[in-house]
Amino acid sequence: MPPNFKSHRVGDATITKVEEQELRNVPASFLYPAAEASNITGTDGALREYLEEGGDSFRLSVHTWVVRTPEHLILIDTGSGNDKERPRNPTFHRQSIPFIERLKAVGVHPEHVDFVFNTHLHVDHSGWNTRLEDGKWVPAFPNARYVFPRLECEYYSSADSHNEVNVPSLGVFEDSVAPIIEAGLADFIQPSGGRYLDIFEFIPTPGHSVGHMSIALRSHGETAIFGGDIMHSPVQVYRPDLNTVFCEFQSEASASRLRMLNLLADEDALYLATHFPASSAGVVGRVAEGFSWTYF
Ligand SMILES: [Zn+2]
């Protein structure tokens, strides 16, 4: 697989991945509970390529995409954050990761960020929206407008979301989203999606979560699409029917995934995943049996 952290040029924009952490040895049987293990770990070489060396687990990335346009500095999804209380989700509980230092190392100073987009409001996508200062959660990017799907805000601020599948994200709205809204820094995307700034389009891709959005960037005839959690690994390019244990609305999730794969192939778009390991970027092609994945 290609090395991490390379930048991609899409029209006028430059896109760079800044990693927060890697999750190692995530069992296939946990991530994709509905899959026959043999369909992932068995004889199909195209899928085995994406597994850890042992052959039955995944390596997953958690990161931010840094987007620079001639006018703006934008972050897309913000990892899981430091100091968050996640007692029911030990992976992300009270972390201490030098993520802000990593942003600075690629020239991103928190006060210079103009926009922060969240594809959805799960634990590993909105954590660095805020940081702990004197016992209070404050915006980590104080001069940014933060852009949230409205439906996600409504759902995760309500007890309706306090169910089993959302246990990993309990507390996220309160410590990572509400303080942004209270600070007056939030903009909201309607459930129908739509344009934001000149070059972005929020595309509704519900299912993984209630108001999940993918984000297209179109510049000078080129397209990149930030897919959030529409897929967790390249295996789902080959098996769009496969939902993860974290997908709350399963039939909508697979329908959104199939629509997105068709869009990616139609537009010859660069796909920028959240959880694919290595470069986390690539292109989707059409093959006789469906779709194929090639890393960039
Ligand atoms: Zn995620």
Side-chain angles (χ1 to χ4, degrees):
M1 288 186 185
N4 290 350
F5 307 130
K6 72 179 182 190
S7 289
H8 305 273
R9 189 89 186 161
V10 176
D12 270 350
T14 304
I15 301 163
T16 308
K17 170 181 151 176
V18 176
E19 187 170 270
E20 184 195 49
Q21 62 192 302
E22 268 200 331
L23 309 178
R24 300 300 306 264
N25 298 305
V26 178
S29 57
F30 168 75
L31 189 61
Y32 299 116
E36 289 285 327
S38 59
N39 285 347
I40 295 177
T41 62
T43 54
D44 192 331
L47 301 188
R48 283 189 69 84
E49 175 186 346
Y50 304 116
L51 295 166
E52 292 260 38
E53 254 170 47
D56 58 359
S57 64
F58 289 93
R59 179 162 61 106
L60 302 180
S61 176
V62 178
H63 55 259
T64 287
W65 290 108
V66 174
V67 181
R68 287 185 176 86
T69 72
E71 292 84 24
H72 297 122
L73 176 58
I74 300 134
L75 305 184
I76 300 185
D77 283 343
T78 62
S80 53
N82 276 2
D83 304 307
K84 308 277 164 152
E85 291 291 329
R86 305 280 183 256
R88 298 183 68 183
N89 188 351
T91 303
F92 300 125
H93 185 52
R94 294 185 185 173
Q95 294 186 136
S96 181
I97 295 173
F99 177 69
I100 296 293
E101 287 69 23
R102 286 182 203 156
L103 286 176
K104 288 178 180 170
V106 297
V108 176
H109 291 262
E111 60 275 16
H112 294 158
V113 174
D114 299 304
F115 296 94
V116 177
F117 299 164
N118 286 172
T119 58
H120 63 303
L121 301 182
H122 280 177
V123 60
D124 51 334
H125 295 259
S126 32
W128 277 106
N129 289 354
T130 58
R131 61 181 175 81
L132 196 57
E133 185 179 272
D134 299 329
K136 270 193 65 180
W137 295 108
V138 300
F141 307 101
N143 300 313
R145 297 298 302 172
Y146 287 70
V147 182
F148 303 131
R150 183 177 289 283
L151 215 52
E152 293 276 303
C153 289
E154 289 173 358
Y155 187 58
Y156 287 104
S157 61
S158 127
D160 292 350
S161 64
H162 297 171
N163 55 32
E164 194 59 28
V165 74
N166 287 314
V167 162
S169 292
L170 279 178
V172 171
F173 183 84
E174 290 74 13
D175 60 34
S176 303
V177 180
I180 303 299
I181 297 172
E182 284 157 18
L185 299 182
D187 287 346
F188 302 97
I189 300 294
Q190 297 301 330
S192 55
R195 295 280 292 272
Y196 194 87
L197 304 176
D198 280 341
I199 60 171
F200 292 101
E201 181 191 1
F202 283 75
I203 302 171
T205 42
H208 173 73
S209 64
V210 69
H212 184 283
M213 292 272 174
S214 300
I215 302 167
L217 182 169
R218 295 189 181 90
S219 176
H220 295 277
E222 296 182 326
T223 304
I225 295 184
F226 302 87
D229 277 1
I230 203 158
M231 297 183 276
H232 275 64
S233 80
V235 163
Q236 286 165 291
V237 175
Y238 298 86
R239 291 284 312 276
D241 59 301
L242 216 51
N243 288 313
T244 71
V245 66
F246 306 115
C247 293
E248 183 168 3
F249 306 97
Q250 301 258 323
S251 57
E252 276 184 284
S254 40
S256 288
R257 191 173 306 116
L258 193 55
R259 270 202 317 279
M260 178 53 67
L261 287 166
N262 276 301
L263 180 67
L264 289 164
D266 289 346
E267 291 207 26
D268 197 19
L270 178 67
Y271 184 68
L272 300 150
T274 299
H275 296 308
F276 292 17
S279 73
S280 311
V283 291
V284 168
R286 285 187 205 280
V287 291
E289 318 81 63
F291 301 97
S292 64
W293 173 254
T294 305
Y295 265 110
F296 263 35

